[in-house]
Amino acid sequence: MAVFLARRATTRLAGDLGRRRRHRPSPWFLSSSAVGLRGFCSVRFFAGHSATARVEEDYSENEFAGAGDLEVEEDFPGGKLSFVGEMNFLPESQRERINCYRVLDNDGRWTLYTSAFQKVSKELALKMYSQMVTLQIMDTTFYEAQRQGRISFYVTSHGEEAINIGSAAALSDDDIVLPQYREPGVLLWRGFTLQEFANQLFGNKLDYGKGRQMPIHYGSSRLNYFTVSSPIATQLPQAVGAAYSLKMDRKDACAIAYFGDGATSEGDFHAALNFAAVTQAPVIFFCRNNGWAISTPTVEQFRSDGVVVRGQAYGIRSIRVDGNDTLAVYNAVHTAREMAISEGIPILVEAMTYRVSHHSTSDDSTKYRSADEIEHWRTARSPISRYRRWIEGSGWWCNAQETELRNNVKQELLQAIQVAERMPKHELSEVFTDVYDQIPSNLSDQHRSLLETIRKHPSDYPTYVPV
């Protein structure tokens, strides 16, 4: 009976609203004069066909505000809603930009507003610095090798060393990494040797990809590092699937997918975030927002406040971090990993940084940005120099150690290149393997056709690849 009376009261009030609406302006006219007037009916519907209503009548004939003040809460299949009579569009963006988390200032000193975070030991801090320097020297050396014609292609991580090493140090070896092509430092941290890097770049007999991948498309099943693929953002939905499998198996691990700001313009990015939010997969989406998608600046990609707000739009906990601050990256990923695993949720990390190098050896970035801008970020805003000032200030590092480290890394790299160059290549037949258990007839025909072409035109075929 109570439900019936409530419904009848609601119907009567709605009728009164309809009669009074004829004496009000057009419903598209928003008047502020009605804001102070009050008259509402609050109706709450719950799941199923049964309904409970609560009607509150707190108005008089002289104070009646009309349809604009009818407040109703209902459960729709798409979500629980509260209704209002005022027409308010959400603004294009928040008035204030999302803050950026950092631990060290640009001079490598503690910030005054640093909150409690996961402390790093001297041993860990020095290992992180050593790996950042190694990554820098490795990139410089292999870039020069490409310019000498010894390898065909290369991509560096100059300016993004803190992102590579800071995030890698915060992960467990059991976590699954799905990289893009600017995260070799993550693989370096996990134990991939300089010799293994050189083998892949030269595509020799010891290359795990058997010479069938582009240079810098590293991969290691031993180190839970998925092989890099060229198409942008394809690794993101795959990372969600990998993370969901970890959750189903109750593993104490998560998946992490790395990508650039350009990948957020791909459909796979949006599909992956929604997929992860709905399934509550323990995955970390790590975006390095370095300002440029090859030659396209972020201002020509999106008008939102960067990438971090997109996570919230999909119902994903998100944070923006200073990607040139090694300690900030480490702590953000360390905390994100704990939340992803313990709560079983996805996390989005937007790391703000700058790509000092060209996009690749096929790019000349001075065509779309100034050399002064590049030099400023290479020197004044270098994440390596910034982190070095911190460990020096802590009394853990000196010039003699710096010289020894750089000399040792350079020597090891040169040795690795010499070994990789002398190593023979895989046989031509490997082009047709590892797809089917038994090679089908059409691939066998292609193999025979290729061999026949080589016999007819031997001068067009490289002699260093065994037939």
Side-chain angles (χ1 to χ4, degrees), residues 138-139 142 154-155 179-181 183-184 187 192 196-198 200-201 213-220 225-229:
M138 182 181 82
D139 277 345
F142 285 136
Y154 196 72
V155 170
Q180 200 169 2
Y181 42 67
E183 287 79 36
L187 190 54
F192 210 67
E196 288 176 303
F197 280 110
Q200 197 279 331
L201 293 172
Q213 278 280 10
M214 285 181 62
I216 65 87
H217 282 198
Y218 314 108
S220 174
Y225 191 94
F226 273 55
T227 301
V228 177
S229 61

Side-chain angles (χ1 to χ4, degrees), residues 8 60 157 163 267 284 423 448 452:
R8 189 170 65 177
S60 66
S157 304
I163 284 178
I284 300 173
M423 188 70 60
R448 285 192 295 269
E452 181 62 28

